[in-house]
Amino acid sequence: MASAKQILGLGRDAEKIFSTLWEKHGFYAPDRGFTPSIQSMFYGRPDNQKAAEGLTVKGIRGLIEKQVTSTTVTDAVPVAFDPEILDIVRKDAPLLARLPQVGYKGYTVRTNLISARAAPRGWVSEADSLDLSGVSNEFTLGETDYDMKIYVDAVNVGDFAERGAEGGYLPVRETALGQRVAAYSQYKEQAILYGDHSKALTDGSPGDANVFDGMSVHAAAAGNDVDKSAVDLAASDALLKDIKAEVKDLLQNANVFKGDLEIWTSHTLFDELENELQVRAILDQNVNSANYGFEVIYISGIPVIASHNVAEHTYDAGGVAGGPYTIGSEGDVFIVNKRASYYASLAPLFTLPLGRIGLAEHFALGEYGTYVDRSQGTFGKWLYDYAI
């Protein structure tokens, strides 16, 4: 039986796949380098958004009209660049939407680690300055490899054929494909946070043997996973102070740049932070309305971003696929370094036709990529299980 990798054509020439899915849409990368992030190319770039408008609808409609049934990525529609798809990701997985999504020309991401710096040679005598042979202090610990992982799903999109034939406008979010993209976004965000291949499940979840390792695994490997279940939160600002102290510890001991950091939490913990900040109602007399609560919170100048995917998750609860695997808590906090962390892919989220089933077109939804942490957890933290 053919594997998903063979069916999707991912075993072919990486340069051809990269050219079809990235370069054709304006994303270029040097050898062993990365493209600009999808976010940097589209967020706040109205011209680029306009050029990619309707990419999913037009692409799928074109495949249906041409009756394309080839199952290789060279026929795929890279829906990851469609502004409507980006909007689904932003709304359903706000943390994933903030993680840089970049392209990489290869099946294995090879990147330099940035979490250690050798001491400089320093001040020397004039005689010693004449011979610097053997002095080569690098910024990195060396190279590390990340194997890309395959994500697959399938969807019947009969509504594309019907409405496309009528020439009407199709809101992607309201289609079967849009709903599968929403599910993908949330599952991927959970994997970014809690993915752990060592759990060796066989259910395709963030605990599957084929998933990439997420932030919690990298933080634990670096000793930056901190159990917060016993922290006394009785004081009116105890939670704020404790998170702030962890941020200062990271700034002091890892020498990271504050502007690279974000704090990711659950909505429940965000609410606790609001309460500690003594929320006041804001009255807008111009529109005769009041707002109670904060849209944005900063701790030591670092933005706090909330998502419902920071929570307890149980995968394979029935234990039929090697589980269960339970991880996470609404009391979790991730201090994320966006300079070190990103998601790299040879094939960003795409769809391609698998054939017709009854009145519907059967399409695959796929992605080939991996989470990368160039500091291997050293430049971030996972503060888990605050008793909120």
Side-chain angles (χ1 to χ4, degrees):
M1 181 180 295
S3 68
K5 186 173 182 178
Q6 292 169 325
I7 292 173
L8 299 178
L10 291 171
R12 302 187 176 203
D13 183 356
E15 290 200 10
K16 186 175 182 180
I17 295 174
F18 184 85
S19 176
T20 299
L21 296 179
W22 287 98
E23 292 180 343
K24 183 179 178 181
H25 296 273
F27 290 83
Y28 299 92
D31 290 340
R32 289 189 57 195
F34 301 92
T35 68
S37 71
I38 295 176
Q39 293 95 323
S40 69
M41 292 289 281
F42 287 102
Y43 291 170
R45 304 281 291 273
D47 290 344
N48 290 352
Q49 291 179 18
K50 185 70 175 177
E53 200 171 83
L55 174 65
T56 301
V57 175
K58 294 173 185 175
I60 291 181
R61 186 182 301 163
L63 293 175
I64 292 173
E65 290 173 352
K66 295 176 183 178
Q67 296 184 330
V68 174
T69 58
S70 174
T71 54
T72 70
V73 290
T74 55
D75 297 314
V77 178
V79 299
F81 306 139
D82 189 321
E84 285 191 85
I85 298 296
L86 290 172
D87 188 60
I88 293 173
V89 174
R90 181 177 61 82
K91 291 177 179 177
D92 284 72
L95 307 181
L96 175 62
R98 301 180 70 86
L99 185 74
Q101 313 279 316
V102 301
Y104 184 84
K105 192 187 303 183
Y107 289 104
T108 298
V109 179
R110 173 161 292 181
T111 184
N112 289 329
L113 299 177
I114 59 173
S115 53
R117 307 164 180 83
R121 179 65 179 84
W123 289 269
V124 298
S125 66
E126 182 177 354
D128 288 341
S129 71
L130 298 177
D131 183 8
L132 294 178
S133 60
V135 177
S136 179
N137 291 329
E138 302 294 337
F139 177 68
T140 72
L141 282 173
E143 297 177 332
T144 188
D145 292 343
Y146 293 86
D147 291 332
M148 293 194 182
K149 307 297 182 179
I150 303 170
Y151 174 92
V152 294
D153 200 359
V155 60
N156 292 331
V157 288
D159 45 5
F160 271 107
E162 179 183 348
R163 299 188 197 183
E166 296 173 356
Y169 175 73
L170 179 63
V172 174
R173 188 179 186 89
E174 303 307 319
T175 68
L177 179 63
Q179 294 307 305
R180 298 319 302 160
V181 169
Y184 146 86
S185 301
Q186 296 179 67
Y187 225 32
K188 182 175 174 181
E189 183 169 279
Q190 292 169 30
I192 294 292
L193 297 172
Y194 300 115
D196 186 351
H197 85 281
S198 72
K199 299 304 177 182
L201 305 188
T202 58
D203 61 347
S205 74
D208 193 277
N210 296 297
V211 77
F212 51 81
D213 288 334
M215 293 179 175
S216 59
V217 172
H218 285 278
N224 279 342
D225 58 328
V226 186
D227 185 352
K228 293 294 184 178
S229 59
V231 172
D232 184 359
L233 299 179
S236 61
D237 57 353
L239 183 59
L240 281 164
K241 284 185 175 179
D242 196 76
I243 295 174
K244 183 169 70 71
E246 293 289 353
V247 168
K248 298 299 185 182
D249 176 76
L250 194 63
L251 295 173
Q252 177 67 34
N253 295 307
N255 190 27
V256 297
F257 174 52
K258 185 185 294 187
D260 293 329
L261 301 180
E262 290 188 350
I263 298 170
W264 294 358
T265 73
S266 66
H267 290 287
T268 306
L269 193 138
F270 191 97
D271 181 60
E272 289 294 322
L273 295 175
E274 283 187 297
N275 294 338
E276 289 193 355
L277 287 168
Q278 298 181 355
V279 177
R280 296 290 184 269
I282 300 175
L283 177 64
D284 187 340
Q285 295 180 339
N286 293 324
V287 295
N288 195 31
S289 66
N291 182 52
Y292 185 79
F294 293 111
E295 295 292 332
V296 181
I297 291 175
Y298 292 87
I299 297 178
S300 290
I302 299 169
V304 181
I305 314 297
S307 171
H308 66 286
N309 284 314
V310 179
E312 180 178 297
H313 302 278
T314 298
Y315 305 106
D316 185 33
V320 298
Y325 167 43
T326 299
I327 186 69
S329 162
E330 292 178 25
D332 286 358
V333 173
F334 292 85
I335 304 176
V336 180
N337 189 302
K338 292 174 65 177
R339 175 170 167 261
S341 301
Y342 46 82
Y343 188 87
S345 64
L346 171 61
L349 185 66
F350 64 87
T351 188
L352 54 80
L354 297 178
R356 190 168 183 82
I357 299 179
L359 298 178
E361 301 288 340
H362 196 51
F363 276 77
L365 193 66
E367 183 176 63
Y368 194 46
T370 186
Y371 172 69
V372 173
D373 184 343
R374 295 194 298 156
S375 75
Q376 293 190 327
T378 302
F379 285 179
K381 287 193 176 189
W382 174 34
L383 317 177
Y384 62 91
D385 207 19
Y386 280 105
I388 54 175

